[in-house]
Amino acid sequence: SPDGERLLFTVLFDPCGPPDRSSIYRLDVADGNLVPLVEEDRRVLVAGKWLSNETAELIDAAGAIWRIDVLTRNLRLVE
């Protein structure tokens, strides 16, 4: 996050073939708390850029852009 408090990372399943699903996790730097935000999603979302301390951009396998609130886990497609 821009304030350095959180990290996002992507876990791809079956990375040796074309991945068929992904998970996104938030790591709270201060205490090491790991929070699943999206689990085994078939859209194959990957973490993109931070838009604010609470909002990040995700990109799916088709190139569509999503926004996620990393505190509430609210995910929405950007139109």
Side-chain angles (χ1 to χ4, degrees):
S1 58
D3 63 7
E5 297 292 321
R6 300 176 188 93
L7 298 173
L8 285 186
F9 65 92
T10 305
V11 174
L12 295 174
F13 295 84
D14 193 17
C16 294
D20 63 351
R21 60 197 190 288
S22 67
S23 294
I24 306 289
Y25 291 89
R26 182 190 83 214
L27 176 67
D28 296 331
V29 175
D31 62 8
N33 188 37
L34 189 61
V35 178
L37 300 177
V38 179
E39 295 188 271
E40 295 196 37
D41 193 282
R42 296 227 174 252
R43 291 171 287 197
V44 191
L45 296 162
V46 295
K49 64 183 178 181
W50 286 94
L51 301 173
S52 71
N53 289 329
E54 294 83 27
T55 307
E57 203 170 76
L58 306 178
I59 303 166
D60 70 21
I65 298 172
W66 298 76
R67 289 200 178 142
I68 190 165
D69 182 312
V70 301
L71 302 178
T72 66
R73 300 180 189 157
N74 182 35
L75 179 66
R76 68 178 178 85
L77 182 62
V78 176
E79 299 186 41

